[in-house]
Amino acid sequence: MASPKRRFDVCAGRPYTTGNGEEKKHWINVGRLTEWDDGGLSIELHATPTGSWFDGRLYCFEPKREGEQSTARQARPTRREAPPSKADDFSDDDLPF
């Protein structure tokens, strides 16, 4: 059986404009590409980008190592979820459909 040789982050680049008018990309990690020692490649998607900004292109980057500074691309944001609040609690009866 083949074993993993190298792994890459699969990212989608969402364009944005900074306050001073500079065009940049916000890199969103959506999965992982694995290169196997038998030459095969596999892609595992954890999310699918949606929205009018997504042009169907995905990019592969070597993952950053712990403590390594980003040089070739913007640092990827970490996904943080807000703690649940009472306002987020609703029952199926509250849905309009």
Side-chain angles (χ1 to χ4, degrees):
M1 181 173 190
S3 59
K5 183 177 175 183
R6 294 190 312 169
R7 292 205 165 129
F8 299 89
D9 290 336
V10 176
C11 301
R14 183 176 185 174
Y16 71 96
T17 305
T18 64
N20 62 359
E22 187 179 358
E23 298 283 326
K24 291 192 172 191
K25 284 194 178 183
H26 174 86
W27 294 105
I28 302 167
N29 189 337
V30 298
R32 176 174 62 189
L33 178 137
T34 303
E35 179 184 5
W36 299 93
D37 60 2
D38 66 358
L41 299 172
S42 63
I43 297 173
E44 178 182 348
L45 291 178
H46 302 141
T48 304
T50 59
S52 59
W53 63 269
F54 183 58
D55 60 3
R57 295 180 186 168
L58 297 173
Y59 301 84
C60 297
F61 299 103
E62 288 189 7
K64 286 191 330 184
R65 299 196 196 299
E66 192 93 12
E68 183 178 316
Q69 293 293 322
S70 176
T71 56
R73 59 183 170 136
Q74 297 294 316
R76 287 190 320 263
T78 56
R79 181 177 175 170
R80 297 178 190 205
E81 295 183 20
S85 68
K86 293 290 182 193
D88 291 336
D89 295 336
F90 59 88
S91 67
D92 288 340
D93 294 337
D94 294 336
L95 296 175
F97 47 89

